[in-house]
Amino acid sequence: MFNFAPEINGKCIMEWSEKQLQILNVAEELFASKGFEGTSVRDIAQKAEVNVAMISYYFGSKEKLLQSLILNRTEQTGLILEGLSHDVKLSPWEKIDKVIDYYVDKILNERNFHAIMNRQISLVQDKKLTEILINVKKRNSSMISEIIHEGQRKKIFRHVNVALTIGTVMGTISQVSMSKPFYCSLLKLDAGDDISYYKKIRPQLKSHLKSLLRAHLSINN
Amino acid sequence: MFNFAPEINGKCIMEWSEKQLQILNVAEELFASKGFEGTSVRDIAQKAEVNVAMISYYFGSKEKLLQSLILNRTEQTGLILEGLSHDVKLSPWEKIDKVIDYYVDKILNERNFHAIMNRQISLVQDKKLTEILINVKKRNSSMISEIIHEGQRKKIFRHVNVALTIGTVMGTISQVSMSKPFYCSLLKLDAGDDISYYKKIRPQLKSHLKSLLRAHLSINN
DNA sequence: ACGTATTAATTAAACGTTTGTTTAATTCAA
DNA sequence: TTGAATTAAACAAACGTTTAATTAATACGT
């Protein structure tokens, strides 16, 4: 058997072969559209054009395939914007705008992966997986948290509930991303056309969240 | 076989026997914690203390059991607050507060059911089920929509994006309800203790959403 | 550079469970 | 006595995983 240990702490960055990445890509797509339990390893193998046994061979099991997928999709995150919260040239307001642009683009671009995460975190299934997901969410939300706290320290932002403000940002984006058929119906868009939906909703979502947070965090009145 | 047609349009309100309700209750709990595909009909039968065959006998199939569950949990909604949006004694601001109290309580109380809905609507599984879920969401969100439009007509509210404002309200509540392990970790609460988590988060969530919408919809500044 | 030893990659087939559903017999109630 | 409720058993299909055999690739001593 193929021998490797996907460490939780992200210490060991795996090297993935082309075949493995192929499997991960197909798994992501199918898990997102049919659910983890609703997707069989044979579905994945067939669409990835590999033998069924290769999945056990490479990843050990279906559960570990999911863990590997999540680790793979999160191991290189946070590098682009890690400097943002410590950037002295930007005001907290500018940082808020930048961080909204970043998260809207990130979640909408990686919407399949986020659909899997959002579904899986509310399932009491694998304790190890839950721990991984919590850490990913913490890492993702820490930047917003830092920016808000900075603004509050500088008396530019109100003293809002930071955890729930993060929940509002994440929740709004997730809602738009995961309840697509509902919003397509609301906005009278074709539910089948993914591209035009996200093309239309993306800038709306950004400006909505920016004006929402501007009003929410403003100290005046 | 047991013969009945769970109509989409909610026209026919089913009469459910005690055994059937028992099955529906257990199914709701298991679907919420283990997912629809992750729950077997034998799991349900065992916990509901009925024979496996009774599920097919009463509901036809596992899929139709899920449809029946959703129809059962939504067929009596909207009665309590249907008068709210047409109440002339209340200002739009008071209506917003009332509607937030209502939805936070509703979603947190029926969190198992909403977890199932939120998970299932993003799956491309059963077209009939997707249609049912869209209609439920439309029905649920129409009240907020009406109130906001009324406030805008009366020049009390800003001209915000109504659909996305609804998404913010629903998304924030869903996020708190579905990412419980994450918020428990953030707020340093015991993830196992459901009761104390929701007891603590419920009033925080209500006041957060109220002040958020007050700032968001206010016309001043 | 070549043949060989060693390891990795890949395969088809089979494994034992578990899945949702049905059957046919029986019990229960009207 | 008729029809609904309930049961244990059986059903075929699908599930995740393993096996054992084969092919491809790599390393190494000469």
Side-chain angles (χ1 to χ4, degrees):
Chain A
M1 212 273 269
F2 204 79
N3 195 14
F4 77 99
E7 286 297 322
I8 297 177
N9 325 349
K11 294 275 166 62
C12 82
I13 302 280
M14 269 291 295
E15 278 292 328
W16 308 89
S17 76
E18 206 151 325
K19 275 264 165 71
Q20 285 173 314
L21 289 174
Q22 203 173 342
I23 294 171
L24 287 177
N25 288 337
V26 170
E28 182 182 42
E29 193 187 325
L30 292 181
F31 287 165
S33 64
K34 304 171 63 170
F36 174 71
E37 304 276 359
T39 304
S40 73
V41 289
R42 283 176 177 81
D43 288 339
I44 300 170
Q46 191 181 3
K47 195 158 192 182
E49 293 174 289
V50 297
N51 192 281
V52 218
M54 294 305 293
I55 291 171
S56 297
Y57 179 69
Y58 276 136
F59 300 98
S61 68
K62 192 188 170 189
E63 290 252 310
K64 286 180 185 167
L65 167 63
L66 177 58
Q67 292 181 15
S68 297
L69 174 64
I70 288 169
L71 289 172
N72 173 260
R73 299 287 131 115
T74 55
E75 68 189 3
Q76 276 158 336
T77 196
L79 296 176
I80 312 149
L81 275 206
E82 76 171 32
L84 176 65
S85 60
H86 302 112
D87 193 329
V88 289
K89 295 189 297 295
L90 295 172
S91 75
W93 286 121
E94 291 169 317
K95 288 182 186 176
I96 287 286
D97 280 1
K98 274 204 186 308
V99 94
I100 286 172
D101 284 336
Y102 174 71
Y103 279 118
V104 169
D105 283 333
K106 184 179 172 63
I107 295 181
L108 292 194
N109 288 342
E110 303 166 0
R111 54 187 177 267
N112 277 342
F113 174 65
H114 268 82
I116 298 169
M117 276 195 56
N118 276 332
R119 251 185 251 123
Q120 227 61 29
I121 202 172
S122 65
L123 296 179
V124 280
Q125 224 175 29
D126 190 355
K127 282 209 163 188
K128 192 172 176 181
L129 186 64
T130 304
E131 200 189 318
I132 297 175
L133 293 176
I134 290 175
N135 284 330
V136 172
K137 259 188 166 291
K138 272 187 182 172
R139 191 143 40 97
N140 277 343
S141 65
S142 65
M143 202 175 355
I144 304 181
S145 173
E146 282 176 32
I147 295 171
I148 294 179
H149 280 129
E150 184 205 348
Q152 290 177 333
R153 242 182 295 114
K154 293 182 176 174
K155 315 257 185 202
I156 299 172
F157 292 169
R158 280 206 307 140
H159 273 84
V160 299
N161 187 320
V162 177
L164 289 181
T165 301
I166 293 171
T168 290
V169 175
M170 297 299 192
T172 303
I173 305 175
S174 295
Q175 194 74 4
V176 166
S177 167
M178 300 206 33
S179 301
K180 198 195 83 177
F182 169 65
Y183 287 97
C184 280
S185 177
L186 258 192
L187 304 172
K188 290 168 182 55
L189 287 171
D190 176 24
D193 191 357
D194 240 44
I195 302 155
S196 74
Y197 171 68
Y198 287 107
K199 193 170 181 178
K200 182 157 189 170
I201 205 80
R202 191 189 298 250
Q204 289 185 18
L205 183 55
K206 285 179 182 177
S207 68
H208 167 75
L209 280 174
K210 285 174 191 175
S211 76
L212 183 74
L213 285 198
R214 209 163 299 141
H216 179 54
L217 293 170
S218 270
I219 218 159
N220 67 349
N221 85 304
Chain B
M1 211 272 269
F2 204 79
N3 194 14
F4 77 99
E7 286 297 322
I8 297 176
N9 326 349
K11 294 276 166 62
C12 85
I13 302 281
M14 270 290 298
E15 278 291 327
W16 308 88
S17 76
E18 204 150 328
K19 276 263 165 72
Q20 285 173 312
L21 289 174
Q22 204 173 342
I23 294 171
L24 287 177
N25 288 337
V26 171
E28 182 183 42
E29 193 186 326
L30 292 181
F31 288 165
S33 63
K34 304 172 61 170
F36 174 70
E37 304 276 1
T39 304
S40 73
V41 290
R42 283 177 177 80
D43 287 339
I44 300 170
Q46 191 181 4
K47 195 158 191 181
E49 293 176 289
V50 298
N51 191 281
V52 220
M54 295 305 293
I55 290 172
S56 296
Y57 178 69
Y58 276 136
F59 301 97
S61 69
K62 193 189 171 190
E63 290 252 311
K64 285 182 185 166
L65 167 63
L66 177 58
Q67 293 181 16
S68 297
L69 174 64
I70 288 169
L71 289 171
N72 173 259
R73 300 287 129 114
T74 54
E75 66 189 4
Q76 276 159 337
T77 197
L79 296 176
I80 312 149
L81 273 207
E82 76 170 33
L84 176 64
S85 59
H86 302 111
D87 193 329
V88 289
K89 294 190 298 295
L90 294 173
S91 75
W93 287 119
E94 291 169 317
K95 287 181 186 176
I96 287 285
D97 281 1
K98 274 204 187 308
V99 93
I100 286 172
D101 284 336
Y102 174 72
Y103 278 119
V104 169
D105 283 333
K106 183 178 175 63
I107 295 180
L108 292 194
N109 289 343
E110 303 166 1
R111 53 188 177 267
N112 277 343
F113 174 66
H114 268 81
I116 298 169
M117 275 194 57
N118 276 331
R119 250 184 252 124
Q120 228 61 32
I121 202 172
S122 65
L123 295 180
V124 280
Q125 223 174 30
D126 190 356
K127 282 209 165 190
K128 191 172 177 181
L129 186 63
T130 303
E131 200 188 318
I132 297 176
L133 292 176
I134 290 175
N135 284 330
V136 172
K137 260 189 165 291
K138 272 188 181 171
R139 190 141 42 96
N140 277 343
S141 65
S142 65
M143 202 174 354
I144 303 182
S145 174
E146 282 177 33
I147 294 171
I148 294 179
H149 281 127
E150 184 205 348
Q152 290 177 332
R153 241 182 296 114
K154 294 182 176 174
K155 315 257 186 203
I156 298 172
F157 292 168
R158 278 204 309 140
H159 273 84
V160 297
N161 186 319
V162 178
L164 289 181
T165 302
I166 292 170
T168 290
V169 175
M170 297 300 192
T172 303
I173 305 176
S174 295
Q175 193 75 1
V176 166
S177 167
M178 300 207 33
S179 301
K180 199 195 85 181
F182 169 65
Y183 288 97
C184 280
S185 177
L186 257 192
L187 305 171
K188 289 167 182 57
L189 287 171
D190 177 25
D193 191 357
D194 239 44
I195 302 153
S196 75
Y197 170 69
Y198 287 107
K199 192 171 182 179
K200 184 158 190 171
I201 205 79
R202 190 189 299 251
Q204 289 185 20
L205 184 55
K206 285 179 182 176
S207 68
H208 167 75
L209 280 175
K210 286 174 190 174
S211 76
L212 184 75
L213 285 198
R214 209 163 300 140
H216 179 55
L217 293 170
S218 269
I219 219 159
N220 65 349
N221 86 301

